[in-house]
């Protein structure tokens, strides 16, 4: 009988003791000695010398106390002065506001007086024109000079800035170079529109209710358009009395009408023109009528 082979005995290998990890040792050292030795020694020397950051001598302590007292005194005096001056400032402000209101009321009354005087002068001028002898000539002179109110068929032309108009030139209109910068209607454009309507046969013209005469001036002040020194705001409504359909056609075919069309196409200026059956234009606020006289040569033989 064959016996089973005997397995040799297994010898146990003794385990080697583990060595402490170097990283753990460094971390433990940092935690145990969080303060550098040099800083610790400097702090110890400073503490031994008695230098705690505050003055130790009596003179130094008195100086520090005096400085704190002076600082507190300055702050207290400043607060007291501000509290005392506050009512005075408020009173002066109220007095200034009252003065501005009084002066504004005075200016408004003076402006109303000027308007009344202008109306009186215009009425007297219109009465004088009626007594010139020839009634038909007087009516014609009154219409052409703008001294009388007129109504009849004509043309209504509305001119407005582009939808995305801006001041341009960093808010300074004098630094802009044209419509490509701003898209705004300028005084020179309204001058061309009015002159084109006159040339096309208009008998009377007004802009935003402001009657134009032979002496009217269209100027600019910043972005505002002035007619006889009165500012206008867009949209600009131009009314022209005349043969409505003919006046509209002749103006649109004229050089000034084509200029306005170019502004609309190239710069977004909005325009609308229509023939109207009855338009009413007010009289000019003040009219100066001048009469021309023939010049005679003197000293001729």
């Amino acid at each position: 009988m064959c016996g089973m082979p005997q397995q040799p005995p297994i010898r146990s290998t003794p385990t080697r003791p583990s060595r402490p990890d170097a990283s753990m040792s460094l971390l433990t050292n940092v935690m145990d000695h969080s303060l550098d030795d040099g800083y610790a020694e400097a702090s110890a020397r400073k503490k031994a010398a008695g230098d705690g950051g505050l003055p130790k001598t009596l003179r130094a302590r008195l100086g520090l106390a005096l400085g704190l007292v002076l600082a507190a005194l300055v702050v207290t005096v400043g607060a007291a002065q501000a509290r005392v001056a506050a009512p005075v400032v408020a009173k002066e402000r109220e007095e200034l506001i009252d003065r501005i209101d009084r002066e504004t009321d005075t200016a408004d009354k003076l402006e109303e007086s000027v308007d009344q005087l202008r109306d009186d002068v215009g009425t007297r001028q219109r009465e004088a024109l009626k007594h010139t002898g020839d009634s038909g000539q007087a009516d014609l002179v009154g219409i052409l000079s703008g001294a009388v109110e007129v109504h009849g068929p004509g043309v209504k032309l509305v001119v407005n800035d582009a939808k995305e108009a801006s001041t341009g030139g960093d808010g300074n209109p004098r630094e802009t170079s044209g419509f490509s910068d701003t898209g705004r209607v300028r005084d020179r454009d309204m001058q061309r529109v009015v002159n084109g309507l006159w040339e096309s046969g208009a008998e009377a013209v007004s802009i935003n209710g402001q009657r134009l005469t032979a002496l009217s001036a269209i100027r600019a002040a910043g972005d505002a358009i002035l007619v006889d020194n009165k500012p206008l705001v867009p949209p600009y409504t131009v009314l022209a009395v005349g043969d409505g359909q003919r006046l509209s056609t002749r103006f649109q075919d004229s050089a000034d009408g084509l200029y306005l069309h170019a502004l609309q196409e190239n710069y977004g200026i909005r325009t609308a023109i229509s023939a109207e059956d009855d338009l009413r234009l007010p009289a000019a606020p003040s009219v100066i009528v001048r009469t021309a006289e023939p010049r005679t040569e003197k000293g001729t033989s």
Side-chain angles (χ1 to χ4, degrees):
M1 181 174 178
C2 295
M4 292 293 293
Q6 295 183 357
Q7 187 175 0
I10 300 175
R11 298 180 178 177
S12 60
T13 304
T15 57
R16 300 176 60 185
S18 58
R19 300 175 60 186
D21 192 3
S23 59
M24 291 297 296
S25 176
L26 180 59
L27 181 59
T28 303
N29 186 28
V30 170
M31 294 180 63
D32 293 340
H33 305 280
S34 58
L35 187 62
D36 187 72
D37 296 338
Y39 289 111
E41 292 179 2
S43 178
R45 287 196 303 267
K46 188 175 182 181
K47 186 179 296 184
D51 188 6
L54 295 176
K56 298 302 181 179
T57 62
L58 179 60
R59 179 178 296 179
R61 290 181 179 181
L62 290 176
L64 178 60
L66 181 60
L68 293 176
V69 170
L70 289 177
L73 180 62
V74 170
V75 173
T76 303
V77 171
Q81 289 180 350
R83 180 175 298 179
V84 172
V88 177
V89 174
K91 183 178 179 180
E92 292 178 353
R93 182 175 180 273
E94 292 178 358
E95 292 178 353
L96 180 60
I97 293 175
D98 294 338
R99 182 179 177 184
I100 292 174
D101 293 337
R102 290 195 302 268
E103 296 297 334
T104 301
D105 294 338
T106 303
D108 293 338
K109 292 179 181 179
L110 290 175
E111 187 174 356
E112 292 177 0
S113 177
V114 170
D115 292 337
Q116 293 176 359
L117 292 175
R118 286 177 177 174
D119 293 339
D120 183 50
V121 171
T123 301
R124 293 175 182 271
Q125 288 176 342
R126 288 189 287 271
E127 291 295 330
L129 288 174
K130 292 180 180 179
H131 296 85
T132 55
D134 189 349
S135 177
Q137 184 178 4
D139 292 340
L140 179 60
V141 172
I143 293 174
L144 296 179
S145 63
V148 297
E149 179 182 356
V150 297
H151 71 91
V155 166
K156 178 181 179 181
L157 175 62
V158 180
V159 183
N160 199 358
D161 296 336
K163 290 184 178 180
E164 298 180 355
S166 61
T167 56
D170 296 331
N172 187 356
R174 298 183 182 277
E175 295 181 1
T176 59
S177 59
F179 285 94
S180 58
D181 292 336
T182 65
R184 297 178 66 92
V185 179
R186 303 297 181 88
D187 57 331
R188 57 179 178 268
D189 307 312
M190 296 306 301
Q191 292 173 3
R192 294 200 60 168
V193 168
V194 171
N195 290 335
L197 289 172
W198 285 121
E199 186 178 359
S200 299
E203 300 174 2
V205 179
S206 69
I207 303 178
N208 286 12
Q210 183 73 18
R211 181 74 174 274
L212 301 182
T213 67
L215 302 178
S216 296
I218 301 177
R219 298 188 180 93
D223 282 347
I225 295 179
L226 306 182
V227 175
D228 292 337
N229 293 326
K230 290 188 177 181
L232 306 180
V233 296
Y236 307 103
T237 301
V238 183
L239 302 180
V241 173
D243 188 346
Q245 192 59 47
R246 182 182 178 187
L247 179 60
S248 175
T249 302
R250 291 185 62 180
F251 172 75
Q252 294 183 70
D253 293 338
S254 66
D256 298 316
L258 295 177
Y259 171 80
L260 186 60
H261 182 71
L263 296 182
Q264 181 180 4
E265 291 293 327
N266 298 327
Y267 305 110
I269 301 300
R270 292 170 287 175
T271 63
I273 187 170
S274 61
E276 304 291 334
D277 295 332
D278 188 20
L279 297 175
R280 292 187 175 272
L281 277 65
S286 61
V287 178
I288 299 176
V289 180
R290 294 186 175 92
T291 303
E293 297 180 357
R295 180 179 178 182
T296 58
E297 297 291 341
K298 296 182 179 180
T300 58
S301 56

